[in-house]
């Protein structure tokens, strides 16, 4: 133990609670860990639990009042609660229940109850992490962590040391220049989870996953929703055909989608917000009036206030912490995972990295295959992908074969009358190995799991085509798309 490790014990010593011989013992007992994880999101809390399961003395620092990070508190879980509830409302209000012989009376929205359902889901799950921390003997250090050296941090005025640190501080909303978030009329994703009335007109700035999901919630509940996207298509990064199809389907649902358009300013003075937009390439400005503007142009890594310089950690141009294959930063004993590092900002990517880094710290082999990270947009229909898009594979010079199968030819989708979308499989033309799977379908998020597993096992399209799929399921469309890679689907 070096002299720099004495902050917390010195505080106790100075306040008279410790006599000098107690210092070493108190430090070792309370403030010295094998691993300290900073941040209790899906990356951090999973890393902490796994590290403790593997016998390491583990603490996890979290500055929020509850565990679970962005995902459980203001991200994946509350957004899915509202997506589910609003889907039920829309189905009952404007859906096909009557065609199925289900007659409902007048449908009314009880927004307060809907929010209560969201909060219940969040409370249950964040409380569950607290339970798991206790069960696995992970110490929760409450407060904001900042480095005081390469092997020490300060949390709320107390010093802690560890052999290893895992930075899992996640990300927050990227601000839009010229637009100030007030969380009432100009909101970010967190504000969009908490609106206390349905806006007349909501403008969503950014046609990415979060904007389209939360835009879907409020459209289903009765808002007119306009999406303003800088690029020439919504859903950047996804497969070209999928983006086109999604654009078509969302427009059919009533979304007004303005692509190749940029927002330059928002004026919140009068009754409505005046949003000034102009063509992305420049041109005449136009004003769009809205009751609520949702800014969702992306997320940026949380590194502010961590005093990373004191640990000797530098950031890349995107403000992220670069790591190697084993999640090591350039500084011995300091690792980083999840949204604060490069790669897709997804909860399950962070979780898998959390498990892997803990296993590495315990002397085991921890691996994440970053080539096979599924992603899902939980709109209706859902949109899901894993692996390379056709465009990416071709840009890398790979010759590809593509198989597609429309959901309208899938017996279960046809029976359920949820026939929008298709499955697309991109395979290497030379080896038949599956490079990517892209799905638009009502249950695409569930379907993509099998594609990810097949790719993890190095499957060819033929492997999938000759795997027996249960009938009648939406997943049979994956089998048929795999058959289509070699031109032999049965049902089209
Ligand atoms: C509206 C919305 C919907 C989303 N939906 C999905 C989805 O459906 N599926 C999906 O995969 N992903 C989704 N995401 C993304 C997902 O939430 C993130 O990718 C995921 O939470 C990242 O996990 P993480 O552990 O890296 O960080 P986070 O979950 O951001 O957690 C980091 C934690 O660290 C804490 N922290 C930061 N700095 C410090 C510090 N110095 N000291 C102490 N504590 C600190 C923060 O308070 C936070 O709790 C969504 C995000 C949003 C905003």
């Amino acid at each position: 133990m070096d002299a720099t490790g004495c902050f917390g014990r010195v505080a106790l010593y100075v306040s008279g609670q410790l006599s000098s011989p107690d210092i070493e013992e108190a430090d070792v007992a309370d403030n010295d860990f094998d691993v300290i994880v900073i941040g209790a999101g899906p990356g951090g809390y999973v890393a902490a639990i796994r590290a403790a399961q593997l016998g390491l003395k583990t603490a996890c620092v979290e500055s929020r009042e509850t565990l679970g990070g962005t995902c459980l508190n203001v991200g994946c879980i509350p957004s899915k609660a509202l997506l589910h509830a609003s889907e039920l409302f829309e189905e009952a209000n404007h859906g096909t229940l009557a065609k199925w012989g289900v007659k409902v009376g007048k449908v009314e929205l009880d927004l307060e109850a809907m929010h209560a359902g969201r909060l219940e889901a969040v409370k249950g799950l964040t409380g569950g992490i607290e339970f798991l921390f206790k069960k696995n003997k992970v110490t929760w250090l409450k407060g904001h962590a900042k480095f005081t050296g390469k092997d020490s941090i300060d949390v709320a005025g107390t010093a802690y040391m560890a052999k290893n640190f895992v930075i899992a501080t996640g990300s927050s909303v990227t601000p839009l220049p010229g637009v100030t978030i007030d969380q009432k009329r100009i909101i970010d994703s967190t504000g969009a989870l908490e609106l206390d009335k349905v806006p007349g007109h909501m403008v969503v700035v950014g046609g990415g996953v979060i904007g389209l999901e939360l835009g879907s919630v409020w459209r289903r509940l009765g808002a007119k929703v306009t999406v303003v996207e800088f690029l020439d298509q919504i859903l950047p990064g996804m497969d070209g055909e999928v983006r086109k199809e999604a654009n078509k389907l969302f427009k059919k649902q009533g979304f007004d989608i303005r692509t190749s358009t940029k927002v330059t300013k928002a004026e919140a003075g009068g009754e409505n917000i005046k949003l000034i937009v102009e063509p992305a390439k420049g041109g005449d400005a136009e004003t769009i009036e809205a009751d609520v503007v949702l800014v969702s142009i992306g997320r940026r890594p949380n590194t502010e206030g961590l005093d990373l310089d004191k640990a000797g950690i530098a950031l890349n141009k995107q403000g992220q912490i670069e790591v190697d294959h084993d999640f090591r930063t350039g500084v011995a004993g300091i690792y980083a995972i999840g949204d604060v590092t490069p790669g897709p900002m997804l909860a399950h990517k962070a979780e898998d990295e959390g498990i892997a880094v803990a296993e590495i710290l315990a002397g085991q082999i921890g691996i994440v295959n970053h080539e096979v990270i599924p992603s899902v947009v939980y709109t209706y229909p859902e949109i899901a992908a894993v692996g390379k898009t056709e465009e990416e594979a071709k840009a890398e010079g790979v010759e590809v074969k593509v198989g597609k199968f429309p959901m309208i030819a899938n017996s279960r989708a046809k029976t359920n009358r949820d026939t929008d979308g298709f499955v697309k499989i991109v395979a290497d033309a030379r080896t038949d190995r599956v490079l990517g799977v892209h799905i638009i379908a009502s249950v695409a998020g569930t379907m993509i799991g099998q594609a990810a597993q097949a790719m993890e096992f190095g499957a060819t399209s033929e492997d999938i085509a000759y795997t027996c799929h249960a009938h009648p399921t939406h997943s049979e469309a994956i089998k048929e798309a795999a058959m289509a890679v070699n031109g032999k689907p049965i049902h089209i």
Side-chain angles (χ1 to χ4, degrees), residues 39 42-43 62-64 69-70 75-76 80 144-145 169-170 339 345-347:
E62 175 53 58
S63 53
R64 264 180 223 276
T70 304
C76 323
K80 264 81 256 178
H144 181 90
T169 48
D339 279 13
M345 289 184 165
L346 291 168

Side-chain angles (χ1 to χ4, degrees), residues 39-42 45 62 64 66-75 78 126 129 168:
Y45 84 71
E62 175 53 58
R64 264 180 223 276
T66 47
L67 301 171
T70 304
C71 172
L72 265 55
N73 288 282
V74 291
T126 55
I129 307 301

